[in-house]
Amino acid sequence: MGLDATDEALEVWIDQDLCTGDGICAQYAPEVFELDIDGLAYVKSADDELLQEPGATTPVPLTLLTDVRDSAKECPGDCIHVRRVSDKVEVYGPDAE
């Protein structure tokens, strides 16, 4: 699965209900994730704007795919979801097959 994920557009979103606020994602990929004043992690848009609406997605830049994937793997809250844009199938995260 991992190999064919790299040649397709991916997007990432965070389930704030499960976020533990550890900030591991923001350490791995600060270009994509940021902790807000509420102590929870959110994804950021391409122009660095915090996307706070529930289920907000942002594209995963190919150059940051490894960092984003590692964030999803290491997240203690299992709240980071990376999916293909084309069919919404999760490739990394708690619902990945």
Side-chain angles (χ1 to χ4, degrees), residues 18-64:
L18 299 176
C19 180
T20 56
D22 284 82
I24 290 170
C25 57
Q27 291 173 15
Y28 273 108
E31 305 88 346
V32 178
F33 306 108
E34 186 175 310
L35 288 179
D36 197 18
I37 195 161
D38 63 6
L40 301 178
Y42 294 88
V43 295
K44 299 195 290 188
S45 68
D47 55 5
D48 219 35
E49 180 188 347
L50 212 57
L51 304 176
Q52 293 175 293
E53 58 274 11
T57 63
T58 197
V60 177
L62 214 49
T63 53
L64 297 174

